[in-house]
Amino acid sequence: MVSIEISGPLLLAAAVLGAAWIYRDAKRRAMDTADMWAVGFFVAFVLLPVLGGLAVFVFYLQNRNRRRGSPVTVPGA
């Protein structure tokens, strides 16, 4: 049986990188709760290693705002 263990600095690095990505992505999509998503991911990832973080990540991906196209000017209109 093979087991994978993520602990110590690697766990914290993965949690920080994941939280940073979620925060930047949520800010880019103009979500007011970007900071709460990032903190939720970090806490879940550290308290419930990997599975908790992945659950929050999947939930975030399902609930994030879809990108809206930017307004385009039409020449001569």
Side-chain angles (χ1 to χ4, degrees):
M1 181 174 209
V2 177
S3 67
I4 297 173
E5 183 177 330
I6 299 175
S7 62
L10 185 60
L11 177 69
L12 289 178
V16 168
L17 289 175
W21 182 86
I22 286 177
Y23 180 79
R24 289 186 62 206
D25 186 61
K27 276 295 193 187
R28 196 174 324 128
R29 295 171 189 273
M31 293 177 71
D32 295 334
T33 58
D35 52 346
M36 287 188 266
W37 279 107
V39 169
F41 176 83
F42 182 83
V43 169
F45 202 89
V46 171
L47 292 180
L48 306 168
V50 184
L51 293 178
L54 291 176
V56 171
F57 184 70
V58 169
F59 187 70
Y60 167 76
L61 289 178
Q62 290 176 348
N63 290 315
R64 68 183 181 170
N65 297 336
R66 298 288 180 231
R67 288 190 180 180
R68 295 181 180 97
S70 59
V72 178
T73 57
V74 178

